[in-house]
Amino acid sequence: MRIRPRRNRQSEGIRGLVRETRLGVDQLIYPLFITGNASAKNAIKSLPGQFQLGRKELLEEVESSLKLGLGSFVLFPAVPESKKDSVASYSYADDNFYLEAARELKEKFPEIVLMSDVAMDPYSSDGHDGLVEDGEIVNDNTLPILSRMAVAQAQAGFDLIGPSDMMDGRVGHIRRELDHVGYPNTGILAYTAKYASAFYGPFRDALESAPKGGDKKTYQMDPANSNEALREAFLDEEEGADMLMVKPALCYLDIIKLLKDHSNLPIAAYNVSGEYAMLKAAAANGWLDEEAAMHEMLLSIRRSGADIILTYFAKDYAKILSR
Ligand code: PBG
């Protein structure tokens, strides 16, 4: 045989030379769930290894991550039911613990990249990402609420605003408002192709943010569609997004590739809660080798075209790399 592909696989050294895809900790964003308590570390049952953190524990978590070279974080607030209302007013309230946490983190660790989540669901008594009027999730009246939330986040020091709500026109609306109040350098990482997925279950447990009625199918995308992802991508680019995201990641590797091939913007992928929980459960039963499967998952997401990965595995991966 003249041609033998196995020659390029014969030792770790040669495999290293020809390896096409690499993943560094600087390409990861670590999602953290936070509470308003001074101190807390509440285990999240369906997300083994992840916790609702109090202020003190959040600072510790960020500090220990930084020591591993992991410096980008996205925060999600677990808001008590008593602070929720139909217009998500707590999302931009002066005493909002989410905004206070961001202020404190950026003050203590100015070098970190802090990403926010913009959507009404953690603050909404209806549990929807948009405003509910007569049983419908309305689009245009939601936009000013989202922008107000985004401006409050920019003021608190978030570097990247992450609209995850899937309302039409929200990227443009938020961009205009940020510029208008003097935050032209605050970026937008848009949840561009966010699917109506069953894989968000554990996340909704973590925040107790599941919709009180109905589902999210009138705003999140149909898992059957890919043309629509391109349409969303062109709109988000047009409206001023700095980075685009595909979510979830593993069932949507084709969508990651599609956006990578059609856009010049950096592409992020969200390795969501259900994807993490599946592997954790299988590993706990001894059915999968957790470290090897995690590595393969993250590498596949990178190989399909993601520049950035949001993942609950971020710290585990950073620990392995630093070994
Ligand atoms: C809120 C939001 C969700 C996730 C991120 N932001 C849940 C949802 O849309 O219902 C899910 C993340 C995950 O599952 O890890 N809009």
Side-chain angles (χ1 to χ4, degrees), residues 260-285:
K260 186 65 188 168
D261 288 346
H262 287 88
S263 173
N264 293 322
L265 292 181
I267 305 297
Y270 200 142
N271 179 211
V272 299
S273 58
E275 299 172 334
Y276 172 88
M278 270 196 307
L279 174 48
K280 282 282 179 186
N285 276 293

Side-chain angles (χ1 to χ4, degrees), residues 45-50 273-288 290-291 293-294 297 312-313 316:
K45 232 180 159 175
S46 50
L47 281 176
Q50 306 298 315
S273 58
E275 299 172 334
Y276 172 88
M278 270 196 307
L279 174 48
K280 282 282 179 186
N285 276 293
W287 298 336
L288 285 176
E290 181 174 338
E291 189 176 318
M294 170 192 76
M297 263 189 187
Y312 303 96
F313 285 117
D316 290 346

Side-chain angles (χ1 to χ4, degrees), residues 117 121 129 164 194 200 203-204 216 220 247 273 312:
D117 189 68
D121 56 339
D129 295 20
S164 71
K194 177 171 176 179
Y200 307 148
F203 175 96
R204 294 178 191 169
K216 299 193 174 188
Q220 298 182 348
K247 178 184 173 188
S273 58
Y312 303 96

Side-chain angles (χ1 to χ4, degrees), residues 87-101:
V87 293
S89 58
Y90 185 66
S91 66
Y92 47 78
D94 285 336
D95 62 346
N96 177 318
F97 69 81
Y98 183 73
L99 303 173
E100 278 168 8

